[in-house]
Amino acid sequence: MEKIQVNDITLAYEKLGSGAPLMLVHGFPLDHTIWAEVANLLKDKFTVILPDLRGFGQSTTVETTYTMSDMADDLAGLLDHLGLEKVALAGHSMGGYVCLAFAKKYSQRVSGLGLVASQSAADTPEKKAGRYQTADGVSKKGVGLVAEGMSSTLSTDAAVQAFVRPLMESQTPAAVMGALKAMAEREDTLSSLSTAPFPVTLIHGDADMLIPVERAREIKAALPSARLIELQGIGHVPMMESQRGTADGLRLLLE
Ligand code: MLT
């Protein structure tokens, strides 16, 4: 992977293919490898940029508290490094929260926004408290706690579970705790989407147990110009469970 220094961290990324730039942002607590097959399907038409968010994969993090907006700043730093003023970007779940923070802060740099199994809603008070409890648990017992709790709710597909579980277990406690707190403190971004000067595509499995498809339908209801692609029988990891469906949906971002 290539590595750059930005905002006091080392940010690792991969870049493949050629054509209009498309950045794919992974979710929690994963890394860029989750996009491998979709990136292969898209690299004929796009320059696909695959960052590891701060703390995950080969990127480093800081011990201080940070926000979705800080994570969005990392991505802006990566675009500066690549000499790219504008990109289409798509985020999976937490990656979608980062993309939404990016789109709010840098709307002029976004040519299209994809949300894959994600949402614009903030946490409920209960969910927020649960995240802090989980972060406390991770500080005492390690990241296995999260991997154990999440792997079966991400997907019912055994092959997907077998891929994501060790990937989750390989992340550091600092990254997992930092991201949990950043997710807990994120704001609702629906109102900023309503004035978005770029097309929005929503890709969501109707069997998602982690973020129900209703969250995507709510965005579509508030933003009728958004495209909503519902993938039948697909859970929280569409880019692995429906590689072609996800890739085809993302292609629409730049067509
Ligand atoms: C993710 O899959 O990125 C996270 O589980 C999303 C969340 O917890 O809100």
Side-chain angles (χ1 to χ4, degrees), residues 75-81 83-89 102-103 105-112 198:
L75 302 186
L78 174 57
L79 294 187
D80 293 344
H81 168 79
L84 295 170
E85 185 45 39
K86 211 164 179 170
V87 284
L89 73 167
F102 185 97
K105 197 163 178 181
Y106 303 105
S107 63
Q108 298 311 318
R109 300 192 76 168
V110 180
S111 58
F198 44 76

Side-chain angles (χ1 to χ4, degrees), residues 27-28 92-94 97 119 127 131 150 183 210-211 236:
F28 171 87
H92 172 227
S93 200
M94 179 186 76
Y97 310 159
Q119 60 186 337
K127 178 87 189 169
R131 297 221 200 251
M150 275 184 83
M183 285 196 284
L210 234 145
I211 299 180
H236 191 61

Side-chain angles (χ1 to χ4, degrees), residues 150-242:
M150 275 184 83
S151 24
S152 58
T153 50
L154 284 178
S155 173
T156 51
D157 183 324
V160 174
Q161 288 182 13
F163 180 86
V164 294
R165 179 133 188 190
L167 185 56
M168 291 193 276
E169 283 166 346
S170 71
Q171 309 303 333
T172 64
V176 171
M177 290 190 289
L180 280 166
K181 291 174 190 171
M183 285 196 284
E185 298 303 331
R186 78 187 191 281
E187 52 187 26
D188 189 298
T189 42
L190 187 59
S191 60
S192 64
L193 264 188
S194 64
T195 53
F198 44 76
V200 175
T201 296
L202 312 162
I203 301 173
H204 219 108
D206 71 355
D208 191 326
M209 291 180 273
L210 234 145
I211 299 180
V213 68
E214 282 71 29
R215 297 289 89 75
R217 291 178 186 156
E218 285 161 12
I219 298 176
K220 169 75 184 159
L223 186 70
S225 64
R227 260 198 208 99
L228 171 58
I229 298 163
E230 290 193 21
L231 299 170
Q232 306 304 309
I234 298 299
H236 191 61
V237 201
M239 74 286 283
M240 292 196 80
E241 301 176 76
S242 175

